[in-house]
Amino acid sequence: EIVMTQSPVTLSVSPGERATLSCRASQSVSSHLAWYQQKPGQAPRLLIYDASTGATGIPARFSGSGSGTEFTLTISSLQSEDFAVYYCQQYSNWPYTFGQGTKLEIK
Amino acid sequence: QVQLQESGPGLVKPSEALSLTCAVSGYSINNGYYWGWIRQPPGKGLEWIGSMYHSGSTHYNPSLKSRVTISVDTSKNHFSLKLSSVTAADTAMYYCAAHYYGSSFDYWGQGTLVTVSS
């Protein structure tokens, strides 16, 4: 099983600033990585797939990068609606696995 | 636009089976997506349970494989999850989702909370 590790666990950032979230895989997943946003009481929403491709309707301030074992989600200028929990997920190998999440909170 | 809606009992007794259904609308279940289940214990992260293609191809999380069955009913355009011998550790929000083979979960249901308690 591929273990996904996200850092930091909690990230405090002020609105308008840039946020950088990290995800590391225990072995290479190539570019088979997705990022999801989850707000309280809601289902996760797909933000990024194939490591760097924005999903339909996702604002351009969300971008993904990386390949192999190291990945980054960047939110260029935080809006109030962006404060949420973010998960990475690999779909290179079964079983599909998620990171433990990064909570992005208002500073 | 694929829409997914979970349904099933919100309370299950320990040692019994948990059964949930996910109704698919706006898309034929016979088309290209895999149909999957993901769960999230209260206050915790996401765990993939398993996925199934309409042809019968299934993939399960090894940690749950001995207790999980996913099935597809093409006549009703829905798919189901059965998890046997549940314990309190199976208390979670259960989500159904759609994904292509080797791809991200593109569509999610709103989730249904299942509590295991006597």
Side-chain angles (χ1 to χ4, degrees):
Chain A
E1 171 175 320
I2 297 175
V3 177
M4 307 301 292
T5 303
Q6 293 184 239
S7 61
V9 172
T10 304
L11 181 62
S12 299
V13 183
S14 300
E17 293 189 341
R18 175 187 296 256
T20 303
L21 289 68
S22 297
C23 175
R24 173 177 292 178
S26 62
Q27 65 188 73
S28 177
V29 299
S30 185
S31 295
H32 300 143
L33 184 110
W35 289 95
Y36 302 87
Q37 177 193 67
Q38 187 178 34
K39 297 180 180 179
Q42 295 185 16
R45 177 176 71 145
L46 177 65
L47 295 176
I48 301 288
Y49 64 95
D50 292 346
S52 60
T53 302
T56 302
I58 300 303
R61 63 181 181 273
F62 291 91
S63 63
S65 63
S67 65
T69 62
E70 301 283 344
F71 301 89
T72 300
L73 174 69
T74 302
I75 311 171
S76 60
S77 177
L78 280 164
Q79 307 297 305
S80 57
E81 62 266 29
D82 300 335
F83 293 96
V85 178
Y86 292 83
Y87 294 95
C88 62
Q89 178 238 334
Q90 68 80 20
Y91 44 86
S92 177
N93 287 0
W94 306 102
Y96 290 174
T97 47
F98 293 87
Q100 82 280 15
T102 290
K103 182 179 181 180
L104 181 57
E105 61 178 29
I106 300 174
K107 186 173 182 180
Chain B
Q1 178 81 355
V2 179
Q3 293 185 307
L4 305 171
Q5 179 67 59
E6 305 89 347
S7 61
L11 181 65
V12 180
K13 289 182 168 56
S15 80
E16 295 188 348
L18 174 163
S19 293
L20 299 174
T21 295
C22 182
V24 180
S25 57
Y27 191 87
S28 170
I29 207 165
N30 284 319
N31 284 350
Y33 275 118
Y34 267 72
W35 306 100
W37 291 94
I38 297 137
R39 70 180 183 177
Q40 184 173 37
K44 296 188 177 181
L46 300 163
E47 179 182 34
W48 171 74
I49 299 170
S51 298
M52 181 173 188
Y53 195 61
H54 64 82
S55 65
S57 173
T58 55
H59 299 271
Y60 295 133
N61 193 321
S63 68
L64 298 167
K65 186 174 183 177
S66 64
R67 298 193 292 129
V68 172
T69 303
I70 296 175
S71 58
V72 170
D73 187 332
T74 56
S75 67
K76 296 182 179 179
N77 217 46
H78 74 205
F79 62 105
S80 300
L81 169 70
K82 182 177 180 180
L83 181 66
S84 63
S85 305
V86 298
T87 69
D90 295 309
T91 292
M93 184 72 77
Y94 285 78
Y95 296 100
C96 59
H99 66 98
Y100 288 113
Y101 183 86
S103 191
S104 55
F105 296 103
D106 293 346
Y107 298 99
W108 296 67
Q110 65 184 29
T112 187
L113 179 62
V114 179
T115 301
V116 178
S117 174
S118 56

Coordinates of all heavy atoms in Angstrom, one line a residue, chain B residues 71-107:
Chain B
S71 N -21.8 -4.2 -5.4 CA -22.5 -4.7 -6.5 C -23.2 -3.6 -7.3 O -23.4 -2.5 -6.8 CB -23.6 -5.7 -6.0 OG -24.5 -5.1 -5.1
V72 N -23.5 -3.9 -8.6 CA -24.1 -2.9 -9.5 C -25.4 -3.5 -10.0 O -25.4 -4.6 -10.4 CB -23.1 -2.5 -10.6 CG1 -23.8 -1.7 -11.7 CG2 -21.9 -1.8 -10.1
D73 N -26.4 -2.7 -10.0 CA -27.7 -3.1 -10.6 C -28.0 -2.1 -11.7 O -28.4 -1.0 -11.6 CB -28.8 -2.9 -9.5 CG -30.1 -3.5 -10.0 OD1 -30.4 -3.5 -11.2 OD2 -30.9 -3.9 -9.2
T74 N -27.7 -2.7 -12.9 CA -27.8 -1.8 -14.1 C -29.3 -1.5 -14.4 O -29.6 -0.4 -15.0 CB -27.2 -2.5 -15.3 OG1 -27.8 -3.8 -15.5 CG2 -25.7 -2.7 -15.1
S75 N -30.2 -2.4 -14.0 CA -31.6 -2.1 -14.3 C -32.2 -0.9 -13.5 O -33.1 -0.2 -14.0 CB -32.4 -3.4 -14.0 OG -32.4 -3.6 -12.7
K76 N -31.6 -0.7 -12.3 CA -32.0 0.4 -11.5 C -31.1 1.6 -11.5 O -31.3 2.6 -10.9 CB -32.2 -0.1 -10.0 CG -33.3 -1.1 -9.9 CD -33.4 -1.6 -8.4 CE -34.5 -2.6 -8.2 NZ -34.7 -3.0 -6.8
N77 N -30.0 1.4 -12.3 CA -28.9 2.4 -12.3 C -28.4 2.9 -11.0 O -28.3 4.1 -10.6 CB -29.4 3.7 -13.1 CG -28.3 4.3 -14.0 OD1 -27.6 3.6 -14.7 ND2 -28.2 5.6 -13.9
H78 N -28.2 1.9 -10.1 CA -27.6 2.1 -8.8 C -26.6 1.1 -8.5 O -26.5 0.0 -9.1 CB -28.7 2.3 -7.8 CG -29.4 1.1 -7.3 ND1 -30.6 1.1 -6.7 CD2 -29.0 -0.2 -7.2 CE1 -31.0 -0.1 -6.4 NE2 -30.0 -0.9 -6.7
F79 N -25.8 1.4 -7.5 CA -24.8 0.4 -7.0 C -24.9 0.4 -5.5 O -25.4 1.3 -4.8 CB -23.4 0.6 -7.5 CG -22.8 2.0 -7.1 CD1 -21.8 2.0 -6.2 CD2 -23.1 3.1 -7.8 CE1 -21.2 3.2 -5.8 CE2 -22.5 4.3 -7.5 CZ -21.5 4.4 -6.5
S80 N -24.4 -0.7 -4.9 CA -24.6 -0.9 -3.4 C -23.3 -1.3 -2.7 O -22.4 -1.9 -3.4 CB -25.6 -2.0 -3.3 OG -26.9 -1.6 -3.8
L81 N -23.3 -1.1 -1.5 CA -22.2 -1.5 -0.6 C -22.8 -2.4 0.5 O -23.8 -2.1 1.1 CB -21.5 -0.3 0.1 CG -20.6 -0.6 1.2 CD1 -19.3 -1.2 0.7 CD2 -20.2 0.7 2.0
K82 N -22.1 -3.5 0.8 CA -22.5 -4.3 2.0 C -21.2 -4.5 2.7 O -20.2 -5.0 2.2 CB -23.1 -5.7 1.6 CG -23.5 -6.5 2.8 CD -24.2 -7.8 2.4 CE -24.6 -8.6 3.6 NZ -25.2 -9.9 3.2
L83 N -21.2 -4.2 4.0 CA -20.1 -4.4 4.9 C -20.6 -5.3 6.1 O -21.5 -4.9 6.8 CB -19.6 -3.1 5.5 CG -18.4 -3.1 6.4 CD1 -17.2 -3.6 5.7 CD2 -18.1 -1.7 7.0
S84 N -20.0 -6.4 6.2 CA -20.5 -7.4 7.2 C -19.8 -7.2 8.6 O -18.8 -6.6 8.7 CB -20.4 -8.8 6.7 OG -19.0 -9.1 6.5
S85 N -20.4 -7.8 9.6 CA -19.8 -7.9 10.9 C -19.3 -6.6 11.4 O -18.1 -6.5 11.8 CB -18.7 -9.0 10.9 OG -19.2 -10.2 10.5
V86 N -20.1 -5.6 11.4 CA -19.7 -4.2 11.8 C -19.4 -4.1 13.3 O -20.0 -4.8 14.1 CB -20.7 -3.1 11.3 CG1 -20.8 -3.2 9.8 CG2 -22.0 -3.3 12.0
T87 N -18.5 -3.2 13.5 CA -18.2 -2.8 14.9 C -18.3 -1.3 15.0 O -18.5 -0.6 14.0 CB -16.8 -3.2 15.4 OG1 -15.8 -2.5 14.6 CG2 -16.6 -4.7 15.1
A88 N -18.1 -0.7 16.2 CA -18.1 0.7 16.4 C -17.1 1.4 15.5 O -17.3 2.6 15.1 CB -17.8 1.1 17.8
A89 N -16.0 0.7 15.1 CA -15.0 1.3 14.3 C -15.5 1.6 12.9 O -14.8 2.3 12.1 CB -13.7 0.4 14.2
D90 N -16.6 1.0 12.5 CA -17.2 1.2 11.2 C -18.1 2.4 11.2 O -18.7 2.8 10.1 CB -17.9 0.0 10.7 CG -17.0 -1.2 10.5 OD1 -15.9 -1.0 9.8 OD2 -17.2 -2.3 11.1
T91 N -18.3 3.1 12.3 CA -19.1 4.3 12.3 C -18.4 5.4 11.5 O -17.2 5.7 11.8 CB -19.3 4.8 13.8 OG1 -20.1 3.9 14.5 CG2 -19.9 6.2 13.8
A92 N -19.1 5.9 10.5 CA -18.5 6.9 9.6 C -19.5 7.5 8.7 O -20.6 7.0 8.6 CB -17.4 6.2 8.7
M93 N -19.1 8.6 8.0 CA -19.8 9.1 6.9 C -19.4 8.2 5.7 O -18.2 8.1 5.5 CB -19.5 10.6 6.7 CG -20.3 11.2 5.5 SD -22.0 11.5 6.0 CE -21.8 12.9 7.1
Y94 N -20.4 7.7 5.0 CA -20.1 6.9 3.8 C -20.4 7.7 2.5 O -21.6 8.1 2.4 CB -20.8 5.6 3.9 CG -20.2 4.6 4.9 CD1 -20.4 4.7 6.2 CD2 -19.4 3.5 4.4 CE1 -19.9 3.9 7.1 CE2 -18.8 2.7 5.3 CZ -19.1 2.8 6.7 OH -18.5 2.0 7.6
Y95 N -19.5 7.8 1.6 CA -19.7 8.5 0.4 C -19.6 7.5 -0.8 O -18.8 6.6 -0.8 CB -18.6 9.5 0.1 CG -18.5 10.7 1.1 CD1 -17.6 10.7 2.2 CD2 -19.4 11.8 1.0 CE1 -17.5 11.7 3.1 CE2 -19.3 12.8 1.9 CZ -18.4 12.8 3.0 OH -18.3 13.8 3.8
C96 N -20.5 7.7 -1.8 CA -20.3 7.0 -3.0 C -19.7 8.0 -4.0 O -19.8 9.2 -3.9 CB -21.6 6.4 -3.6 SG -22.9 7.6 -3.9
A97 N -18.9 7.5 -5.0 CA -18.2 8.4 -5.9 C -18.0 7.7 -7.2 O -18.1 6.4 -7.3 CB -16.8 8.7 -5.3
A98 N -17.7 8.5 -8.3 CA -17.5 8.0 -9.6 C -16.1 8.3 -10.1 O -15.7 9.5 -9.9 CB -18.5 8.5 -10.6
H99 N -15.4 7.4 -10.7 CA -14.1 7.6 -11.2 C -13.8 6.7 -12.4 O -14.3 5.6 -12.5 CB -13.0 7.4 -10.1 CG -12.9 6.0 -9.7 ND1 -11.9 5.2 -10.1 CD2 -13.6 5.3 -8.8 CE1 -12.0 4.0 -9.5 NE2 -13.0 4.0 -8.7
Y100 N -13.0 7.2 -13.3 CA -12.5 6.4 -14.4 C -11.4 5.5 -13.8 O -10.8 5.8 -12.7 CB -12.0 7.2 -15.5 CG -13.0 7.9 -16.3 CD1 -13.1 9.3 -16.4 CD2 -13.9 7.2 -17.1 CE1 -14.1 9.9 -17.1 CE2 -14.9 7.8 -17.8 CZ -15.0 9.2 -17.8 OH -16.0 9.8 -18.6
Y101 N -11.1 4.4 -14.5 CA -10.0 3.5 -14.1 C -8.7 4.3 -14.0 O -8.4 5.0 -15.0 CB -9.9 2.3 -15.1 CG -8.8 1.4 -14.6 CD1 -9.1 0.3 -13.8 CD2 -7.5 1.5 -15.1 CE1 -8.2 -0.6 -13.4 CE2 -6.6 0.6 -14.7 CZ -6.9 -0.5 -13.9 OH -5.9 -1.4 -13.5
G102 N -8.0 4.2 -12.9 CA -6.7 4.9 -12.8 C -6.9 6.4 -12.8 O -6.0 7.1 -13.4
S103 N -7.9 6.9 -12.2 CA -8.2 8.3 -12.2 C -8.8 8.8 -10.9 O -9.1 8.0 -10.0 CB -9.0 8.8 -13.4 OG -9.0 10.2 -13.5
S104 N -9.0 10.1 -10.8 CA -9.5 10.7 -9.6 C -11.0 10.5 -9.4 O -11.7 10.1 -10.4 CB -9.2 12.2 -9.6 OG -9.7 12.8 -10.8
F105 N -11.5 10.7 -8.2 CA -12.9 10.7 -7.9 C -13.5 12.0 -8.4 O -13.4 13.0 -7.8 CB -13.2 10.5 -6.4 CG -12.6 9.2 -5.9 CD1 -11.5 9.1 -5.2 CD2 -13.3 8.0 -6.2 CE1 -11.0 7.8 -4.8 CE2 -12.9 6.8 -5.8 CZ -11.7 6.7 -5.1
D106 N -14.2 11.9 -9.6 CA -14.7 13.1 -10.2 C -16.0 13.6 -9.6 O -16.3 14.8 -9.5 CB -15.0 12.8 -11.7 CG -13.7 12.6 -12.5 OD1 -12.6 12.9 -11.9 OD2 -13.7 12.1 -13.6
Y107 N -16.8 12.7 -9.2 CA -18.2 13.0 -8.6 C -18.4 12.3 -7.3 O -18.0 11.1 -7.2 CB -19.3 12.6 -9.6 CG -19.2 13.4 -10.9 CD1 -18.6 12.8 -12.0 CD2 -19.7 14.7 -11.0 CE1 -18.6 13.5 -13.3 CE2 -19.6 15.4 -12.2 CZ -19.1 14.8 -13.3 OH -19.0 15.4 -14.5

